[in-house]
PDB file of all heavy atoms in Angstrom:
ATOM      1  N   ARG A 518      14.011 -27.574 -38.785  1.00 98.00           N
ATOM      2  CA  ARG A 518      15.192 -27.478 -37.924  1.00 98.00           C
ATOM      3  C   ARG A 518      14.859 -26.692 -36.657  1.00 98.00           C
ATOM      4  O   ARG A 518      13.881 -25.939 -36.615  1.00 98.00           O
ATOM      5  CB  ARG A 518      16.336 -26.757 -38.647  1.00 98.00           C
ATOM      6  CG  ARG A 518      16.716 -27.351 -39.969  1.00 98.00           C
ATOM      7  CD  ARG A 518      17.583 -28.585 -39.838  1.00 98.00           C
ATOM      8  NE  ARG A 518      18.832 -28.303 -39.145  1.00 98.00           N
ATOM      9  CZ  ARG A 518      19.599 -29.264 -38.588  1.00 98.00           C
ATOM     10  NH1 ARG A 518      19.212 -30.536 -38.624  1.00 98.00           N
ATOM     11  NH2 ARG A 518      20.731 -28.950 -37.996  1.00 98.00           N
ATOM     12  N   MET A 519      15.659 -26.866 -35.643  1.00 97.00           N
ATOM     13  CA  MET A 519      15.488 -26.064 -34.439  1.00 97.00           C
ATOM     14  C   MET A 519      16.824 -25.438 -34.038  1.00 97.00           C
ATOM     15  O   MET A 519      17.879 -25.878 -34.493  1.00 97.00           O
ATOM     16  CB  MET A 519      14.925 -26.901 -33.287  1.00 97.00           C
ATOM     17  CG  MET A 519      15.837 -27.971 -32.773  1.00 97.00           C
ATOM     18  SD  MET A 519      15.032 -28.988 -31.510  1.00 97.00           S
ATOM     19  CE  MET A 519      14.728 -27.790 -30.228  1.00 97.00           C
ATOM     20  N   GLY A 520      16.766 -24.385 -33.226  1.00 97.00           N
ATOM     21  CA  GLY A 520      17.996 -23.733 -32.795  1.00 97.00           C
ATOM     22  C   GLY A 520      17.808 -23.130 -31.413  1.00 97.00           C
ATOM     23  O   GLY A 520      16.683 -22.912 -30.970  1.00 97.00           O
ATOM     24  N   LEU A 521      18.917 -22.908 -30.733  1.00 97.00           N
ATOM     25  CA  LEU A 521      18.864 -22.226 -29.440  1.00 97.00           C
ATOM     26  C   LEU A 521      19.168 -20.757 -29.660  1.00 97.00           C
ATOM     27  O   LEU A 521      20.003 -20.415 -30.502  1.00 97.00           O
ATOM     28  CB  LEU A 521      19.899 -22.812 -28.483  1.00 97.00           C
ATOM     29  CG  LEU A 521      19.664 -24.251 -28.083  1.00 97.00           C
ATOM     30  CD1 LEU A 521      20.802 -24.760 -27.208  1.00 97.00           C
ATOM     31  CD2 LEU A 521      18.344 -24.374 -27.331  1.00 97.00           C
ATOM     32  N   THR A 522      18.518 -19.905 -28.923  1.00 98.00           N
ATOM     33  CA  THR A 522      18.756 -18.477 -29.118  1.00 98.00           C
ATOM     34  C   THR A 522      18.565 -17.696 -27.828  1.00 98.00           C
ATOM     35  O   THR A 522      17.610 -17.931 -27.087  1.00 98.00           O
ATOM     36  CB  THR A 522      17.815 -17.895 -30.193  1.00 98.00           C
ATOM     37  OG1 THR A 522      17.893 -16.474 -30.139  1.00 98.00           O
ATOM     38  CG2 THR A 522      16.381 -18.319 -30.012  1.00 98.00           C
ATOM     39  N   PRO A 523      19.471 -16.771 -27.571  1.00 98.00           N
ATOM     40  CA  PRO A 523      19.169 -15.831 -26.488  1.00 98.00           C
ATOM     41  C   PRO A 523      18.131 -14.815 -26.948  1.00 98.00           C
ATOM     42  O   PRO A 523      18.046 -14.509 -28.137  1.00 98.00           O
ATOM     43  CB  PRO A 523      20.512 -15.142 -26.217  1.00 98.00           C
ATOM     44  CG  PRO A 523      21.430 -15.485 -27.329  1.00 98.00           C
ATOM     45  CD  PRO A 523      20.792 -16.531 -28.188  1.00 98.00           C
ATOM     46  N   MET A 524      17.363 -14.319 -25.997  1.00 98.00           N
ATOM     47  CA  MET A 524      16.462 -13.187 -26.264  1.00 98.00           C
ATOM     48  C   MET A 524      16.998 -12.064 -25.369  1.00 98.00           C
ATOM     49  O   MET A 524      17.223 -12.288 -24.168  1.00 98.00           O
ATOM     50  CB  MET A 524      15.039 -13.575 -25.889  1.00 98.00           C
ATOM     51  CG  MET A 524      14.014 -12.480 -26.078  1.00 98.00           C
ATOM     52  SD  MET A 524      12.319 -13.147 -26.039  1.00 98.00           S
ATOM     53  CE  MET A 524      12.162 -13.672 -24.340  1.00 98.00           C
ATOM     54  N   LEU A 525      17.226 -10.898 -25.955  1.00 98.00           N
ATOM     55  CA  LEU A 525      17.911  -9.830 -25.213  1.00 98.00           C
ATOM     56  C   LEU A 525      17.007  -8.643 -24.925  1.00 98.00           C
ATOM     57  O   LEU A 525      16.049  -8.378 -25.653  1.00 98.00           O
ATOM     58  CB  LEU A 525      19.121  -9.329 -26.020  1.00 98.00           C
ATOM     59  CG  LEU A 525      20.174 -10.359 -26.415  1.00 98.00           C
ATOM     60  CD1 LEU A 525      21.345  -9.666 -27.113  1.00 98.00           C
ATOM     61  CD2 LEU A 525      20.669 -11.109 -25.191  1.00 98.00           C
ATOM     62  N   HIS A 526      17.381  -7.940 -23.894  1.00 97.00           N
ATOM     63  CA  HIS A 526      16.802  -6.630 -23.583  1.00 97.00           C
ATOM     64  C   HIS A 526      17.585  -5.609 -24.411  1.00 97.00           C
ATOM     65  O   HIS A 526      18.767  -5.846 -24.723  1.00 97.00           O
ATOM     66  CB  HIS A 526      16.994  -6.373 -22.084  1.00 97.00           C
ATOM     67  CG  HIS A 526      16.236  -5.202 -21.571  1.00 97.00           C
ATOM     68  ND1 HIS A 526      16.717  -3.913 -21.689  1.00 97.00           N
ATOM     69  CD2 HIS A 526      15.042  -5.111 -20.955  1.00 97.00           C
ATOM     70  CE1 HIS A 526      15.833  -3.086 -21.151  1.00 97.00           C
ATOM     71  NE2 HIS A 526      14.809  -3.783 -20.698  1.00 97.00           N
ATOM     72  N   PRO A 527      16.977  -4.472 -24.765  1.00 97.00           N
ATOM     73  CA  PRO A 527      17.756  -3.479 -25.508  1.00 97.00           C
ATOM     74  C   PRO A 527      19.067  -3.115 -24.821  1.00 97.00           C
ATOM     75  O   PRO A 527      20.055  -2.786 -25.476  1.00 97.00           O
ATOM     76  CB  PRO A 527      16.827  -2.264 -25.582  1.00 97.00           C
ATOM     77  CG  PRO A 527      15.452  -2.832 -25.437  1.00 97.00           C
ATOM     78  CD  PRO A 527      15.584  -4.062 -24.592  1.00 97.00           C
ATOM     79  N   LYS A 528      19.111  -3.202 -23.476  1.00 96.00           N
ATOM     80  CA  LYS A 528      20.364  -2.840 -22.792  1.00 96.00           C
ATOM     81  C   LYS A 528      21.389  -3.979 -22.831  1.00 96.00           C
ATOM     82  O   LYS A 528      22.472  -3.861 -22.257  1.00 96.00           O
ATOM     83  CB  LYS A 528      20.090  -2.389 -21.359  1.00 96.00           C
ATOM     84  CG  LYS A 528      19.579  -3.458 -20.452  1.00 96.00           C
ATOM     85  CD  LYS A 528      19.289  -2.899 -19.053  1.00 96.00           C
ATOM     86  CE  LYS A 528      18.737  -3.999 -18.163  1.00 96.00           C
ATOM     87  NZ  LYS A 528      18.317  -3.597 -16.874  1.00 96.00           N
ATOM     88  N   GLY A 529      21.043  -5.081 -23.492  1.00 97.00           N
ATOM     89  CA  GLY A 529      22.020  -6.137 -23.730  1.00 97.00           C
ATOM     90  C   GLY A 529      22.016  -7.267 -22.720  1.00 97.00           C
ATOM     91  O   GLY A 529      22.815  -8.192 -22.823  1.00 97.00           O
ATOM     92  N   THR A 530      21.126  -7.214 -21.732  1.00 97.00           N
ATOM     93  CA  THR A 530      21.032  -8.311 -20.767  1.00 97.00           C
ATOM     94  C   THR A 530      20.049  -9.367 -21.294  1.00 97.00           C
ATOM     95  O   THR A 530      19.290  -9.113 -22.233  1.00 97.00           O
ATOM     96  CB  THR A 530      20.566  -7.780 -19.405  1.00 97.00           C
ATOM     97  OG1 THR A 530      19.456  -6.911 -19.631  1.00 97.00           O
ATOM     98  CG2 THR A 530      21.662  -7.011 -18.716  1.00 97.00           C
ATOM     99  N   LEU A 531      20.072 -10.517 -20.649  1.00 98.00           N
ATOM    100  CA  LEU A 531      19.258 -11.638 -21.144  1.00 98.00           C
ATOM    101  C   LEU A 531      17.791 -11.478 -20.749  1.00 98.00           C
ATOM    102  O   LEU A 531      17.486 -11.049 -19.639  1.00 98.00           O
ATOM    103  CB  LEU A 531      19.787 -12.948 -20.568  1.00 98.00           C
ATOM    104  CG  LEU A 531      21.221 -13.315 -20.960  1.00 98.00           C
ATOM    105  CD1 LEU A 531      21.697 -14.520 -20.154  1.00 98.00           C
ATOM    106  CD2 LEU A 531      21.305 -13.615 -22.456  1.00 98.00           C
ATOM    107  N   MET A 532      16.909 -11.832 -21.672  1.00 98.00           N
ATOM    108  CA  MET A 532      15.477 -11.911 -21.365  1.00 98.00           C
ATOM    109  C   MET A 532      14.950 -13.328 -21.602  1.00 98.00           C
ATOM    110  O   MET A 532      13.764 -13.586 -21.422  1.00 98.00           O
ATOM    111  CB  MET A 532      14.680 -10.927 -22.227  1.00 98.00           C
ATOM    112  CG  MET A 532      14.837  -9.481 -21.833  1.00 98.00           C
ATOM    113  SD  MET A 532      14.365  -9.117 -20.116  1.00 98.00           S
ATOM    114  CE  MET A 532      12.578  -9.310 -20.169  1.00 98.00           C
ATOM    115  N   GLY A 533      15.815 -14.213 -22.051  1.00 97.00           N
ATOM    116  CA  GLY A 533      15.363 -15.577 -22.265  1.00 97.00           C
ATOM    117  C   GLY A 533      16.434 -16.401 -22.927  1.00 97.00           C
ATOM    118  O   GLY A 533      17.343 -15.872 -23.573  1.00 97.00           O
ATOM    119  N   ASP A 534      16.334 -17.717 -22.718  1.00 97.00           N
ATOM    120  CA  ASP A 534      17.167 -18.681 -23.442  1.00 97.00           C
ATOM    121  C   ASP A 534      16.173 -19.657 -24.059  1.00 97.00           C
ATOM    122  O   ASP A 534      15.715 -20.579 -23.417  1.00 97.00           O
ATOM    123  CB  ASP A 534      18.138 -19.394 -22.504  1.00 97.00           C
ATOM    124  CG  ASP A 534      17.433 -20.129 -21.376  1.00 97.00           C
ATOM    125  OD1 ASP A 534      16.319 -19.698 -20.987  1.00 97.00           O
ATOM    126  OD2 ASP A 534      17.946 -21.143 -20.896  1.00 97.00           O
ATOM    127  N   LEU A 535      15.785 -19.408 -25.265  1.00 98.00           N
ATOM    128  CA  LEU A 535      14.672 -20.139 -25.861  1.00 98.00           C
ATOM    129  C   LEU A 535      15.168 -21.069 -26.956  1.00 98.00           C
ATOM    130  O   LEU A 535      16.228 -20.839 -27.545  1.00 98.00           O
ATOM    131  CB  LEU A 535      13.670 -19.153 -26.476  1.00 98.00           C
ATOM    132  CG  LEU A 535      13.070 -18.136 -25.507  1.00 98.00           C
ATOM    133  CD1 LEU A 535      12.270 -17.088 -26.267  1.00 98.00           C
ATOM    134  CD2 LEU A 535      12.181 -18.825 -24.496  1.00 98.00           C
ATOM    135  N   SER A 536      14.384 -22.088 -27.229  1.00 97.00           N
ATOM    136  CA  SER A 536      14.658 -22.831 -28.461  1.00 97.00           C
ATOM    137  C   SER A 536      13.536 -22.488 -29.434  1.00 97.00           C
ATOM    138  O   SER A 536      12.382 -22.284 -29.030  1.00 97.00           O
ATOM    139  CB  SER A 536      14.765 -24.329 -28.196  1.00 97.00           C
ATOM    140  OG  SER A 536      13.501 -24.896 -28.164  1.00 97.00           O
TER     141      SER A 536
END
Side-chain angles (χ1 to χ4, degrees):
R518 305 281 300 162
M519 66 185 297
L521 295 176
T522 168
M524 178 165 67
L525 303 184
H526 191 277
K528 67 182 179 185
T530 46
L531 298 171
M532 287 302 290
D534 58 332
L535 301 171
S536 83

